Structure formats: C-alpha cells, structure tokens
Amino acid sequence: MDAMQQTRADLAAALRLAERFGFHEGICNHFSAMVPGFNGGFLVNPQGLHWGEITASSLVLVDFEGKVLEGEHAVEATAFYIHGALHRRLPGARVVLHTHMPHATALTTLEDPTLEPISQTALGFHGRIAYDHDYNGLALDSAEGERIAAAMGDKPLAFLANHGVVVSGPDMATAFNDLYYLERACELQIKALSTGRPLRRVSGQVAERTARQFVEPDNAGQVAAHFTALKRLLDRETPDYVH
C-alpha cells in the first residue's frame, strides 16, 4: 500500500472508530491528515457523509487554498479554515482531529476548563494542552484557524472555549491515542466533579515525572499497538472502510 492509500485507510479508520466510541456529532466535525511526501495539501472527510460510512476513497484531498485536488465531494468551509491553518502553521500537526466529543467539550463550557491532574490518564496530558478562551461563532473565515494555531503554539492539543477540542500529532496512531485517552480523562473529571467532593490533585513534581514516562520509547510502542489493535476490530467487523 503506497503512502497515499495508507493515509487514506488510516484516516477512514480513525473516523469509523471515533463514531464507534461516540466522539462524533451528527455529520459535523473533521479529521484531516497530510500524506507523507506530499506537502501541497491534506486529506479530510467530505461534507455530508456520516463518519460511520466513510471509506478511504470517499476522503477528499484539498490544497491550502481550499481547492479539491481529488474527490467527488465538497469540503465544509469550517473544515478548511481550521485544519488548513493548523497544518500550514504547526510543523508537528501532520494529523489534526477536531471533535465535539461530549466529556471533553463539557469541560470547555466551564469558566475554568482546565484538565486537572487527578488521574493517571490525565497526567499523560500534563503540560500538553493549550486553552483558547475566545469563542467567535462558527469558523467561517481564516482568522479562526489562525487564532487557534497561535493559541496552540508548540502544544499538540487545544481546548476551544464553548466549542470542542483539537488533537494534533505527527501520525494517526499518536493523534488517535491522544484523542481516545483525552475523552477518558475528561470523563473521569466530570464524574469526580459530579460527587461535589474536593478533587485530589497530584503534585506538580509527580505530574511532570509521570508525563515524561508517557513519552518514553517503551510507551511509543504501546501507542502504535493501540491503533493497530483497533484497526483489527474494523478489519473483522466493517472491513469496507479501506475501499
């Protein structure tokens, strides 16, 4: 499988898996990926298709001006304005996943949306999340994506106030692993807050040490294995995603 087809298959798999885990919202939100060896644009899910019906061939290749290079479908304007800016401005954002997944988005609606260091899962995100506190409506102009990119800086994740989250990464396995565990960490925090009892925060020193452990070489193998295992589920149950 060449780089283009592999990227298409992985992006389609990520969308199918996100739908399976309830990270989707109708036919809204977008995942995108740049193809290794090609820097003239990116692949993104098309307008009007449900994530549960996405296939590798239904994805659209667009350039940074919004022109469709390959594909039979249109691309929603908000997808281009957000994803185009992030791919163009952030060198590490080869993959960009934007969702309104419920627990993470619930935190973005709070006056203080901080993901607290209260669980081992949350510690994997210590120091890696940017918080964009400005909400200006639908992302229907380039300024929105530029502002989000500026807010993210060198951080791969962003909480968008009153909106949702962005997860970026150098490859699909890394980005999807973060997306999955981010929602789990946010779910734990929402449930802890629902008790009305004080949160038990881990100290800064322990949080920093644990965060470093999450990015050690041994864990990189675990990240890749996670996405590979999830794709095996699709291969058995809904193998049409690769077509």
Side-chain angles (χ1 to χ4, degrees):
M1 192 179 293
D2 64 20
M4 175 65 77
Q5 190 58 32
Q6 185 64 64
T7 305
R8 283 181 173 276
D10 285 347
L11 182 52
L15 288 155
R16 290 287 189 98
L17 291 164
E19 188 271 339
R20 173 182 291 221
F21 295 135
F23 297 168
H24 65 302
E25 187 172 59
I27 58 171
C28 302
N29 305 165
H30 303 88
F31 286 5
S32 63
M34 296 186 70
V35 179
F38 177 71
N39 293 317
F42 54 94
L43 289 165
V44 64
N45 52 302
Q47 185 173 20
L49 294 189
H50 193 274
W51 290 10
E53 62 179 340
I54 292 289
T55 62
S57 62
S58 68
L59 297 167
V60 181
L61 182 67
V62 297
D63 68 13
F64 290 106
E65 303 303 319
K67 178 183 177 182
V68 173
L69 303 177
E70 293 181 13
E72 299 178 357
H73 302 276
V75 174
E76 190 177 358
T78 58
F80 170 71
Y81 287 127
I82 292 176
H83 292 251
L86 300 187
H87 285 304
R88 188 175 62 252
R89 289 275 304 270
L90 306 179
R94 301 292 296 183
V95 171
V96 174
L97 312 179
H98 169 51
T99 76
H100 299 170
M101 54 189 186
H103 296 95
T105 302
L107 288 189
T108 74
T109 69
L110 301 179
E111 186 68 28
D112 180 2
T114 304
L115 181 63
E116 299 284 359
I118 59 171
S119 69
Q120 179 169 286
T121 305
L123 296 182
F125 301 101
H126 181 73
R128 301 178 62 221
I129 300 174
Y131 295 88
D132 178 11
H133 297 291
D134 297 316
Y135 177 74
N136 294 311
L138 299 183
L140 295 175
D141 59 69
S142 59
E144 187 77 4
E146 295 293 332
R147 193 195 73 246
I148 294 170
M152 290 178 70
D154 62 352
K155 298 186 186 301
L157 295 90
F159 278 29
L160 312 179
N162 311 103
H163 184 177
V165 298
V166 169
V167 174
S168 69
D171 54 68
M172 189 61 71
T174 301
F176 195 85
N177 189 74
D178 275 347
L179 187 79
Y180 176 86
Y181 283 107
L182 178 65
E183 179 66 354
R184 296 301 297 271
C186 293
E187 181 179 6
L188 286 172
Q189 183 166 321
I190 294 293
K191 289 182 175 179
L193 288 170
S194 73
T195 69
R197 298 165 63 182
L199 300 178
R200 183 184 180 91
R201 294 174 176 84
V202 174
S203 71
Q205 183 178 10
V206 172
E208 290 174 9
R209 183 172 71 247
T210 307
R212 289 195 299 270
Q213 292 172 335
F214 271 102
V215 296
E216 289 175 351
D218 287 347
N219 197 56
Q222 183 80 350
V223 168
H226 181 206
F227 193 58
T228 299
L230 292 175
K231 287 194 292 182
R232 283 198 298 269
L233 298 180
L234 294 180
D235 290 339
R236 287 199 299 268
E237 299 170 20
T238 54
D240 64 309
Y241 78 93
V242 300
H243 300 304

